[in-house]
């Protein structure tokens, strides 16, 4: 019996399960969000009226069902899996009794959206030892230092409770996976050390150091690696990298940027002699080009990607010696700055990051750099 001849299967093909919703999400704002995004991105059938017909929220179990006007619209909306809405990413799945053709990879890619579904493959990576106060966006910011993320899932108690301190992820470019693992594994992050390894599925049998492929709720507590406090392993690591400290909006005005630069330099100088400080600035955006529709949308996306590639949103502090960087790390990691918790780690000058450190610390005038133009 085909879907069209069974009303229940037909309805299920038009519905999507939305997991890990927060108390701020309700039927109206969720419907409005999907309607506006699908129209804005020109995703779906494009028929008259709104794509969403109805929304049902279950706050006890933190999920919702969204019913669309057609199965094609529901399939198209799968591309929004991982999109940030209010306080976190939406986890979008088919209902358990979905009877249609299963499409594991959305046919449409929404730029900037990182899927919450990390498929089992040789490129699936586990990261443990994360400070539990870090949210999805903050952990992603660290991982994006090595490349664009294709999928990411921070594992939480009961789906949307406190972080369990570990996550799974995959990069768009699989070739950066090994570099990221080597650079991140054992990294000191705040008062903890990261454990970063490939997940076992798809790896060669018997490969040492693989993480067992257990259901998320059966994972054992991840122990901290037994290693020194960091000084001996980071004897030449004199660069302090801070994430989640500044946003592009903080860096556009020349006067505000100058004040911020001096404030950061003054604070970091308390922990050692600062040789160099770099706070990359966003490209000047000509908003006259941002007309409604595809051209303006592409201009905005390209500008955002250019900023990310230039390290915008990160603060790089090069101390005269590693002792200063270590002291700064211990003092600043986890501290609040403008309402955001600082993520911090130390790097040496050979560390492989995106963008490369030799570009970040390229020679420049003594004054804070002017805002670059596109």
């Amino acid at each position: 019996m085909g879907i069209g001849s069974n009303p229940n299967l037909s309805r299920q093909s038009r519905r999507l399960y939305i997991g890990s919703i927060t108390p701020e999400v309700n039927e109206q704002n969720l419907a409005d969000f999907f309607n506006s995004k699908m129209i804005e991105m020109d995703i779906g059938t494009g028929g008259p009226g709104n794509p969403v017909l109805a929304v049902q929220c279950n706050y006890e179990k933190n999920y919702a069902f969204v019913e669309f006007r057609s199965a094609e619209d529901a399939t198209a909306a799968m591309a929004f899996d991982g999109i940030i809405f209010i306080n976190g990413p939406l986890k979008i799945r088919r209902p358990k009794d979905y009877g249609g053709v299963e499409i594991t990879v959305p046919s449409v890619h929404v730029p900037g959206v990182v899927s919450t579904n990390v498929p089992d493959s040789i490129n699936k990576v586990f990261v443990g030892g994360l400070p539990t106060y870090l949210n999805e966006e903050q952990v992603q910011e660290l991982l994006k230092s090595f490349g664009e993320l294709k999928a990411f899932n921070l594992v939480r108690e009961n789906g949307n409770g406190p972080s369990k301190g570990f996550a799974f992820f995959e990069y768009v470019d699989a070739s950066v996976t090994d570099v990221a693992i080597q650079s991140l594994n054992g990294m000191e992050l705040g008062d903890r050390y990261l454990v970063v390894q490939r997940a076992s599925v798809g790896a060669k049998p018997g490969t040492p150091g693989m993480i067992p492929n257990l259901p998320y709720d059966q994972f054992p507590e991840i122990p901290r690696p037994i290693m020194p406090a960091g000084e001996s392993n980071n004897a030449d690591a004199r660069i302090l990298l801070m994430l989640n400290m500044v946003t592009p909006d903080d860096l556009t005005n020349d006067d505000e940027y100058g004040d911020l630069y001096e404030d950061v330099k003054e604070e970091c100088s308390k922990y050692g002699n600062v040789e160099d400080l770099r706070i990359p600035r966003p490209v000047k955006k000509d908003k006259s080009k941002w007309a409604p529709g595809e051209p303006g949308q592409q201009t905005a996306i390209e500008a955002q990607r250019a900023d990310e590639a230039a390290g915008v949103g990160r603060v790089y502090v090069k101390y005269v010696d590693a002792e200063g960087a270590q002291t700064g790390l211990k003092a600043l990691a986890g501290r609040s700055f403008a309402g955001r918790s600082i993520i911090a780690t130390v790097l040496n000058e050979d560390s492989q990051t995106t963008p490369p450190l030799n570009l970040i610390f390229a020679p420049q005038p003594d004054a804070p750099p002017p805002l670059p133009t596109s």
Side-chain angles (χ1 to χ4, degrees):
M1 182 181 292
I3 292 177
S5 58
N6 186 320
N8 290 330
L9 287 180
S10 177
R11 186 184 185 213
Q12 287 305 89
S13 69
R14 293 187 284 109
R15 301 177 84 205
L16 292 179
Y17 166 90
I18 314 296
S20 301
I21 65 170
T22 60
E24 295 82 5
V25 175
N26 58 48
E27 284 87 352
Q28 189 61 53
N29 62 25
L30 191 57
D32 291 344
F33 182 73
F34 272 102
N35 285 331
S36 63
K37 284 295 179 183
M38 293 182 74
I39 292 171
E40 173 190 336
M41 303 297 296
D42 193 22
I43 289 176
T45 59
N50 288 324
V52 175
L53 297 181
V55 176
Q56 294 176 312
C57 292
N58 184 323
Y59 294 105
E60 286 186 17
K61 296 186 177 179
N62 306 308
Y63 69 81
F65 280 104
V66 178
E67 183 175 348
F68 294 84
R69 64 188 166 194
S70 70
E72 291 77 14
D73 284 318
T75 297
M78 291 282 292
F80 289 110
D81 174 47
I83 196 168
I84 301 298
F85 178 53
I86 302 184
N87 291 324
L90 296 180
K91 295 186 178 182
I92 304 176
R93 304 288 186 269
R94 295 286 192 184
K96 288 183 179 179
D97 53 356
Y98 172 67
V101 177
E102 187 59 60
I103 301 175
T104 55
V105 180
S107 57
V108 178
H109 173 66
V110 179
V113 173
V114 179
S115 173
T116 63
N117 182 27
V118 188
D120 291 335
S121 76
I122 194 170
N123 296 316
K124 181 177 182 178
V125 182
F126 167 88
V127 53
L130 294 166
T132 55
Y133 57 79
L134 299 182
N135 63 24
E136 282 81 359
E137 292 178 89
Q138 293 166 339
V139 178
Q140 285 187 37
E141 177 68 17
L142 175 64
L143 302 179
K144 284 179 180 177
S145 298
F146 303 93
E148 185 180 355
L149 287 171
K150 178 180 180 181
F152 171 84
N153 182 34
L154 178 65
V155 181
R156 293 180 172 276
E157 299 281 355
N158 301 318
N160 69 340
S163 166
K164 287 190 174 183
F166 64 92
F168 294 89
F169 65 94
E170 180 181 352
Y171 286 107
V172 172
D173 180 3
S175 66
V176 306
T177 304
D178 286 330
V179 172
I181 291 173
Q182 292 167 10
S183 301
L184 291 168
N185 188 45
M187 175 184 283
E188 186 176 3
L189 192 59
D191 61 347
R192 307 185 69 178
Y193 293 94
L194 298 184
V195 181
V196 185
Q197 298 170 329
R198 289 180 187 268
S200 60
V201 174
K204 295 179 181 179
T207 303
M210 291 297 109
I211 298 297
N213 187 43
L214 298 174
Y216 294 163
D217 59 354
Q218 294 180 22
F219 262 86
E221 292 299 315
I222 306 300
R224 181 184 300 181
I226 300 173
M227 56 192 306
E231 288 78 4
S232 61
N233 283 276
N234 296 311
D236 58 347
R238 61 191 186 100
I239 298 171
L240 176 65
L241 169 61
M242 290 181 284
L243 311 175
N244 201 46
M245 188 177 185
V246 297
T247 67
D249 289 343
D250 299 330
L251 310 171
T252 53
N253 179 277
D254 288 346
D255 291 336
E256 291 178 1
Y257 178 86
D259 291 341
L260 175 70
Y261 186 95
E262 292 303 323
D263 288 346
V264 172
K265 187 172 184 179
E266 180 182 352
E267 180 63 26
C268 291
S269 296
K270 296 176 182 178
Y271 312 109
N273 293 323
V274 174
E275 179 180 310
D276 202 349
L277 168 65
R278 300 297 171 98
I279 308 176
R281 302 189 72 181
V283 171
K284 268 185 179 175
K285 300 172 179 63
D286 183 359
K287 295 191 176 182
S288 64
K289 299 178 182 177
W290 293 16
E294 188 66 25
Q297 177 187 315
Q298 283 301 113
T299 302
I301 292 169
E302 288 168 4
Q304 180 182 354
R305 288 180 175 171
D307 288 347
E308 290 176 353
V312 175
R314 301 168 190 169
V315 175
Y316 301 81
V317 186
K318 183 185 287 188
Y319 283 90
V320 171
D321 52 40
E323 183 180 355
Q326 285 289 337
T327 304
L329 173 70
K330 290 176 171 57
L332 296 171
R335 266 181 55 179
S336 178
F337 185 85
R340 298 180 292 270
S341 294
I342 298 173
I343 305 171
T345 188
V346 289
L347 307 169
N348 60 47
E349 293 181 81
D350 296 326
S351 296
Q352 299 185 56
T353 66
T354 302
L357 292 175
N358 65 318
L359 294 182
I360 290 294
F361 288 103
Q364 67 173 29
D366 292 336
L371 204 62
T373 57
S374 54

